[in-house]
Amino acid sequence: MELTAADILFYLFGFVSVVSALMVVFVSNPIYSALLLAVVMSILGIFFFNLEAHFIAAAQVVVYAGAVMVLFVMVMMLFDLKREKEEVARFSILTVLKIISVGVVCGVLVGAGAMITGDGMGFIKVSTTEAPPPPSMLLKSDINAPTKQTTNPEELKDEVVEITQNPQAGVEIFTKYTDTQKLSLKLFSKYIFIFELLSVLLLVAIVGAVALARSKGGTHHVTRGS
Amino acid sequence: MQDQKGAHTMLHVGLNHYLVLSGVLFSIGVLGVLLRKNALIILMSIELMLNAVNLSFVAFSKYAQNMDGQIMVFFVMTIAAAEAAVGLAIAVAVFKRFKEVNIAHFENLKG
Amino acid sequence: MSEQLVPVLVLTAVVIVFAAAMIGLTFLAGPKRKPTPEKQLPYECGIVGKEHETTRFPVKFYLTAILFILFDIEVIFLYPWALVYGDLLKFGPFILVEIIVFMLVLTFGLFYVWKARALEWD
Amino acid sequence: MGTTWLEIIINTVKIAAIFVIVVSTVPLLVWVERRGPAFMQNRLGPNRVGPLGLLQLAADAIKFIFKEEFIPTKAEKILYFMAPGLTLLPAALTFAAIPLSTPINILGYTFKLQIADLNIGLIYIFAVASLGVYGILAAGWSSGNKYAMLGALRASSQMISYEIAMGLSVVGVLMMYQTFSLNQMITEQFGYFSFLWQGSAVELKFLPNWGVFFQPLAFILFLTATFAETNRLPFDLPEGEAELVAGFHTEYGGFKFNMFFMGEYGHMITSAALITTLFFGGYALPFISPEQVREFWIQNGHTLLGFTGLSMPDIASVLTTITHLVVFLAKTGFWLFFFIWVRWTLPRFRYDQLMDLGWKTLLPWSLVNLALTTALMYFARIVK
């Protein structure tokens, strides 16, 4: 279990993403911070690909890096922020307090992350006298077991059965499916209600954005009847 | 994983490495929201926080062998994109009115 | 790194090395001349441009980008559905009804954008 | 990339070779772009340098390297230098998922003639192609020139509008193949045109089993969208020589300008390869599957190449790969010539016509295509 090539690349990309995330916050020109955020999102796409979430990786790059950040960059270019390049709020006592509080939040999060896998990852001395805390309920199987087939066969079969109403077909379909098809199988059987709600959410966002643009001060102001 | 060679096993990438990375990215997003005055940078920091959450969702989904995590990432992605779209529409409206995107102007957004 | 992604990373490295080499070559091989002021001006077909401080750009472009995001998510949701549609049809029209509702709501969104003349370019 | 060091080295050399071939076809396309229309307009085109003007390519390439390196004062230095790379990188990366030919198995190793056999091939290409907008926006904004900025805004809003139409038109194709990986799509396009209609098979012996006959409307929409995506005429208004001089790359000279060209032509090559893979059976011959080609080469392969020391199946697999590579290049070459051919026949769109076409014709028509395919598949699969 020593250092493999995959681990080296993980540490490399992890370092690059943390550095560019820091630069997103601290760089003065907003357009550079938008481009750096697009870099962070593409690197997250690569991480998703390694975590065997192939479709989510492509969706992440298409939606976030390819659409949301393009909107940010375009809006910033339209604002022509030559004057806007103001500095980060400089060292008032409030800023120091904020940084300390964020440090504490980060420490708590990292600690929680380490604790959840039971062995404290060497950071936190888990007193070996009493048994290390069992992996919490939300993780059904042992964390560090070599990853079995991506999707727990028994667990998903009931979804397939639920949608196909006959158990035999469920198993047959389930075995020959790729990750993305299993994902969509679950999306369209168990989470169908949320899927329909999302289309309403998108409609609300469309109407909201267009109404905002057509409002009195907006860019696409349309006088009645013209 | 509990054997004595703490150094070696710690380096092999497991679930907790992804959780640590997600925690760090989330904290940087919080830092961005607190420190910056420019409304656009605040919106971008919120996007960064949502992405960090997505990373931990996918990490859990892989190591717990359960697809729910990835489906949750779908929903977080949709909501984040809709929020960014409408948020920027408001930011453009404020910029047209005040010629500046400092969040100080956001409080006179009357009804 | 999963087996399929390593070639893509190698290709990125090859492209970056190629681009850097070519620009470096130009830097070495290219003639070094003193930049005259005329050459430095932005190119405006010979006319000396009146460069006022903030060039006013039509802000209309941002609305296309916003609508692009929202319709792009619709396309992303259609991809997993397209992979599963053929097989699940054998088990009743359930998969068909889902997508009809989804597409009706979003086609109404497109119809609203069309009628609200949000995509008008004067 | 294979386990042993030999495989890794060979695969890296293969990746570099495919990239160099793609980059070297760009001057070839420029040459065809100057000679082809010259032939159409009954004039000569470049024929001074070398036979038929072929050395003109080398002359242009070297000329670009010896151009003076200069940066306008108002430019943002870092972004100004990064913009050409930002356009070239996505264009080169999209070519990674295209399968060029059948895998070669020689001396016990098998090498795929494809840079990365991704199981999310198609949306990987869309994901990386959508990153191409950053290069254009960065170039337009960082060169400090009003017209470049306007050109960049127009080009990027045009590209993103047509990305939705392209994404939607491909959904029909995905419903038919039910996979993202381009290799599986090609394997489903072997043999002659046949499909199941309510259980009974329908066959048309004279048509190959290509995607274009199943999805003609999706093909037309995808073709139009790729024209707009690569900023090719009649959609090249942002670089319209008349109004915006050269659009977003006005302030670039020397090899940086050439890299924008490589980016555009790289997108064009990938789009042509994508059209052949999705709709025209990729590297496969119309009615003959690769196995039959292998059998053919096994029968009379030895008469051709008796002298090489390889065993019989190795020669056969090498020869099949070469034939399929030739077939792929022929099909992609035709579509590349089609891109150039259209450029010299259609006039340029006005900007509002261009955007209306994207939002108000291509998008609704791809929704119609989606509805049509759904209905047809519903009736075809319901066994009465």
Side-chain angles (χ1 to χ4, degrees):
Chain A
M1 286 267 274
E2 80 298 337
L3 214 52
T4 62
D7 299 341
I8 297 170
L9 283 172
F10 167 80
Y11 286 116
L12 171 74
F13 280 122
F15 177 70
V16 170
S17 63
V18 168
V19 164
S20 16
L22 274 172
M23 282 164 67
V24 162
V25 175
F26 289 111
V27 102
S28 64
N29 186 341
I31 288 187
Y32 285 123
S33 64
L35 289 172
L36 284 166
L37 190 55
V39 166
V40 171
M41 290 177 180
S42 313
I43 290 174
L44 282 182
I46 293 176
F47 282 141
F48 288 170
F49 197 90
N50 300 329
L51 287 166
E52 284 151 25
H54 303 301
F55 180 70
I56 299 285
Q60 154 95 0
V61 177
V62 167
V63 171
Y64 271 127
V68 173
M69 289 323 293
V70 166
L71 170 64
F72 272 105
V73 170
M74 198 180 265
V75 164
M76 282 181 199
M77 286 182 180
L78 288 175
F79 284 175
D80 192 5
L81 297 173
K82 290 287 184 299
R83 300 187 320 285
E84 281 298 310
K85 279 195 267 189
E86 98 293 358
E87 289 314 311
V88 174
R90 269 301 160 240
F91 287 106
S92 67
I93 186 67
L94 200 59
T95 330
V96 174
L97 269 182
K98 284 179 191 166
I99 292 181
I100 292 167
S101 59
V102 166
V104 167
V105 163
C106 178
V108 164
L109 283 176
V110 167
M115 284 308 289
I116 210 162
T117 52
D119 72 349
M121 219 175 75
F123 292 146
I124 299 149
K125 269 295 142 268
V126 176
S127 62
T128 50
T129 49
E130 27 84 18
S136 59
M137 284 56 64
L138 68 102
L139 300 179
K140 283 195 268 296
S141 64
D142 166 29
I143 291 310
N144 304 311
T147 49
K148 296 197 292 294
Q149 201 217 14
T150 309
T151 311
N152 190 334
E154 299 73 26
E155 185 258 346
L156 187 70
K157 216 163 11 169
D158 41 29
E159 256 87 40
V160 173
V161 167
E162 172 202 312
I163 190 168
T164 53
Q165 276 80 38
N166 56 4
Q168 200 289 328
V171 173
E172 168 259 322
I173 273 192
F174 172 74
T175 44
K176 69 175 173 66
Y177 261 13
T178 64
D179 291 342
T180 321
Q181 282 162 328
K182 285 179 193 133
L183 176 76
S184 58
L185 204 62
K186 188 155 214 182
L187 179 65
F188 289 107
S189 58
K190 198 167 162 192
Y191 296 96
I192 183 59
F193 180 63
I194 305 177
F195 178 74
E196 305 303 346
L197 270 185
L198 278 183
S199 62
V200 178
L201 172 81
L202 287 176
L203 179 63
V204 165
I206 290 171
V207 172
V210 169
L212 208 60
R214 279 161 54 91
S215 62
K216 202 150 50 61
T219 51
H220 294 67
H221 180 53
V222 177
T223 50
R224 190 54 46 216
S226 76
Chain B
M1 277 300 272
Q2 264 76 21
D3 54 14
Q4 277 59 39
K5 308 201 299 302
H8 269 294
T9 51
M10 195 192 81
L11 286 177
H12 186 58
V13 177
L15 169 62
N16 29 37
H17 292 74
Y18 284 105
L19 292 184
V20 165
L21 178 64
S22 153
V24 169
L25 287 178
F26 185 84
S27 322
I28 294 172
V30 170
L31 202 62
V33 171
L34 292 179
L35 287 187
R36 289 301 293 260
K37 285 270 182 295
N38 183 342
L40 295 175
I41 305 285
I42 291 174
L43 273 173
M44 278 167 35
S45 312
I46 296 171
E47 292 294 321
L48 180 59
M49 287 155 69
L50 287 165
N51 272 311
V53 167
N54 278 350
L55 178 63
S56 56
F57 267 129
V58 175
F60 274 120
S61 147
K62 175 185 185 221
Y63 284 98
Q65 285 111 34
N66 178 348
M67 293 292 242
D68 290 354
Q70 294 183 16
I71 289 179
M72 194 54 201
V73 169
F74 251 93
F75 303 148
V76 169
M77 217 182 268
T78 320
I79 293 159
E83 175 256 337
V86 178
L88 273 156
I90 296 172
V92 166
V94 164
F95 180 78
K96 273 183 75 64
R97 172 68 183 72
F98 296 104
K99 294 295 168 286
E100 215 200 4
V101 193
N102 195 318
I103 43 172
H105 303 295
F106 272 66
E107 78 264 2
N108 19 37
L109 279 184
K110 281 183 283 307
Chain C
M1 289 295 155
S2 76
E3 196 48 41
Q4 300 170 348
L5 202 60
V6 176
V8 175
L9 299 180
V10 170
L11 180 61
T12 331
V14 167
V15 169
I16 289 172
V17 162
F18 172 78
M22 283 301 164
I23 290 190
L25 209 60
T26 327
F27 201 70
L28 294 175
K32 304 277 184 311
R33 290 203 182 79
K34 196 176 66 52
T36 58
E38 290 73 27
K39 246 195 289 198
Q40 298 300 85
L41 278 178
Y43 179 77
E44 290 181 16
C45 322
I47 316 146
V48 179
K50 314 181 293 307
E51 192 66 51
H52 42 72
E53 179 45 39
T54 56
T55 46
R56 293 313 318 149
F57 284 110
V59 192
K60 289 203 300 303
F61 291 104
Y62 84 94
L63 193 59
T64 325
I66 287 182
L67 295 176
F68 165 62
I69 297 179
L70 299 169
F71 284 106
D72 208 14
I73 295 175
E74 169 196 353
V75 171
I76 285 290
F77 270 114
L78 278 176
Y79 284 150
W81 171 78
L83 294 189
V84 161
Y85 175 64
D87 286 351
L88 293 191
L89 259 184
K90 292 200 283 293
F91 307 104
F94 187 65
I95 191 98
L96 181 64
V97 170
E98 285 160 13
I99 210 64
I100 286 178
V101 170
F102 184 77
M103 289 311 286
L104 277 185
V105 170
L106 283 169
T107 318
F108 173 71
L110 178 65
F111 183 71
Y112 170 77
V113 165
W114 194 326
K115 275 292 160 271
R117 294 213 300 277
L119 293 162
E120 218 46 47
W121 299 90
D122 41 22
Chain D
M1 290 275 284
T3 49
T4 62
W5 275 105
L6 176 69
E7 277 179 323
I8 291 174
I9 292 165
I10 289 182
N11 275 329
T12 324
V13 166
K14 171 191 77 174
I15 290 172
I18 292 178
F19 173 66
V20 165
I21 288 167
V22 167
V23 165
S24 61
T25 45
V26 169
L28 194 66
L29 280 175
V30 170
W31 178 75
V32 170
E33 184 116 37
R34 294 169 69 178
R35 289 284 299 197
F39 171 71
M40 288 180 210
Q41 297 158 357
N42 201 1
R43 55 181 169 83
L44 278 181
N47 58 2
R48 286 290 178 276
V49 186
L52 280 178
L54 271 174
L55 283 184
Q56 182 70 34
L57 329 176
D60 287 349
I62 294 166
K63 173 196 76 176
F64 274 125
I65 292 190
F66 286 100
K67 275 279 175 68
E68 181 205 350
E69 185 67 50
F70 101 106
I71 306 165
T73 47
K74 296 171 73 71
E76 289 274 335
K77 298 294 179 289
I78 312 160
L79 217 52
Y80 181 79
F81 264 100
M82 270 173 44
L86 281 177
T87 39
L88 183 63
L89 193 61
L93 283 184
T94 47
F95 200 76
I98 308 267
L100 304 177
S101 177
T102 51
I104 309 177
N105 26 47
I106 189 164
L107 300 175
Y109 295 101
T110 61
F111 296 106
K112 286 199 172 77
L113 224 56
Q114 182 187 18
I115 292 179
D117 181 8
L118 298 163
N119 55 16
I120 50 158
L122 192 57
I123 39 173
Y124 162 80
I125 290 177
F126 287 158
V128 178
S130 72
L131 294 180
V133 183
Y134 287 111
I136 292 174
L137 282 174
W141 184 72
S142 68
S143 46
N145 173 346
K146 285 207 301 295
Y147 295 109
M149 182 67 210
L150 200 57
L153 283 174
R154 281 186 170 190
S156 50
S157 59
Q158 168 195 328
M159 267 179 85
I160 54 179
S161 315
Y162 282 90
E163 233 172 275
I164 318 172
M166 193 155 82
L168 264 177
S169 63
V170 160
V171 172
V173 171
L174 279 178
M175 281 157 64
M176 196 171 58
Y177 296 134
Q178 300 218 341
T179 168
F180 286 133
S181 120
L182 295 172
N183 274 326
Q184 270 168 17
M185 285 188 188
I186 292 179
T187 43
E188 279 170 24
Q189 291 182 38
F190 294 153
Y192 50 84
F193 184 83
S194 68
F195 61 92
L196 285 172
W197 180 266
Q198 292 182 345
S200 61
V202 169
E203 277 141 4
L204 301 172
K205 283 278 194 294
F206 55 90
L207 278 181
N209 193 11
W210 285 348
V212 73
F213 304 115
F214 287 97
Q215 293 272 334
L217 183 54
F219 166 65
I220 295 164
L221 295 170
F222 187 77
L223 190 67
T224 331
T226 35
F227 267 89
E229 195 71 26
T230 53
N231 284 343
R232 290 289 303 175
L233 214 112
F235 294 94
D236 75 341
L237 190 93
E239 297 146 19
E241 281 69 22
E243 308 91 54
L244 289 176
V245 179
F248 50 88
H249 41 72
T250 321
E251 295 295 332
Y252 283 89
F255 201 81
K256 297 200 291 293
F257 179 76
N258 195 1
M259 280 165 79
F260 281 108
F261 252 65
M262 277 198 237
E264 184 193 327
Y265 280 96
H267 267 301
M268 209 168 92
I269 294 170
T270 314
S271 310
L274 208 54
I275 290 171
T276 51
T277 314
L278 286 179
F279 295 103
F280 290 94
Y283 55 73
L285 286 160
F287 294 96
I288 307 150
S289 76
E291 276 64 33
Q292 288 156 338
V293 173
R294 254 176 81 77
E295 296 317 318
F296 167 77
W297 281 121
I298 283 180
Q299 264 84 32
N300 43 38
H302 57 274
T303 53
L304 275 176
L305 286 170
F307 59 92
T308 55
L310 300 173
S311 64
M312 193 51 233
D314 285 359
I315 295 181
S317 102
V318 168
L319 288 173
T320 27
T321 311
I322 291 169
T323 31
H324 287 300
L325 190 61
V326 166
V327 168
F328 177 79
L329 291 180
K331 290 182 186 174
T332 318
F334 169 72
W335 284 110
L336 283 174
F337 182 72
F338 183 79
F339 269 86
I340 294 167
W341 188 10
V342 164
R343 172 176 184 165
W344 296 95
T345 45
L346 292 180
R348 183 177 298 130
F349 284 117
R350 220 183 37 230
Y351 192 70
D352 55 342
Q353 288 168 336
L354 188 125
M355 294 304 274
D356 283 355
L357 182 71
W359 285 92
K360 295 179 179 161
T361 20
L362 280 192
L363 194 52
W365 275 109
S366 43
L367 290 175
V368 162
N369 174 49
L370 181 65
L372 213 64
T373 324
T374 321
L376 280 177
M377 279 179 80
Y378 177 71
F379 293 117
R381 302 281 170 103
I382 295 305
V383 183
K384 282 291 174 300

